[in-house]
Amino acid sequence: MLVLITYDVNTETAAGKKRLRKVAKQCTNYGRRVQNSVFECIVDHAQSVALKAILTEIIDEDVDSLRFYYLGNKYKTKVEHVGVDRGIAVDDTLIL
């Protein structure tokens, strides 16, 4: 399923900047960045639960926020893009 993850991490302190880097790193492990604080992740249910737990553990719920949009398996009909696309699609084949 496609999960769209957005986050807003308060970076007024050094600890906040560290949390921001950790959140972005974890999201990169599961998907691709489509905007500064927005990631598209193709995950199964177990991965989704694990990622949510990891990110919730990282953030400070008093000053930071996370949003998860569960678009399901038929996400291709739910996503429309206009403008420059950054990189390959999260579900495209990548040959190294």
Side-chain angles (χ1 to χ4, degrees):
M1 78 175 128
L2 177 67
V3 178
L4 187 72
I5 300 172
T6 67
Y7 55 87
D8 186 19
V9 176
N10 184 312
T11 58
E12 293 176 357
T13 66
K17 292 175 184 174
K18 186 175 181 179
R19 288 193 312 274
L20 177 66
R21 287 190 300 274
K22 285 183 176 184
V23 168
K25 173 71 172 148
Q26 287 303 320
C27 289
T28 301
N29 289 341
Y30 286 85
R32 78 171 183 137
R33 183 187 303 262
V34 292
Q35 291 187 355
N36 285 339
S37 296
V38 181
F39 280 81
E40 290 178 346
C41 303
I42 302 283
V43 292
D44 60 29
H45 180 71
Q47 291 171 319
S48 173
V49 170
L51 179 55
K52 183 177 178 182
I54 290 167
L55 295 177
T56 302
E57 191 71 26
I58 294 170
I59 69 162
D60 179 347
E61 292 185 30
D62 292 331
V63 293
D64 305 332
S65 69
L66 293 167
R67 291 182 71 95
F68 298 86
Y69 298 88
Y70 301 96
L71 300 177
N73 292 321
K74 297 183 182 180
Y75 58 88
K76 290 184 181 184
T77 62
K78 298 176 185 176
V79 177
E80 183 177 340
H81 179 90
V82 176
V84 177
D85 195 6
R86 295 184 180 178
I88 62 169
V90 71
D91 60 347
D92 277 353
T93 303
L94 179 62
I95 300 173
L96 300 175

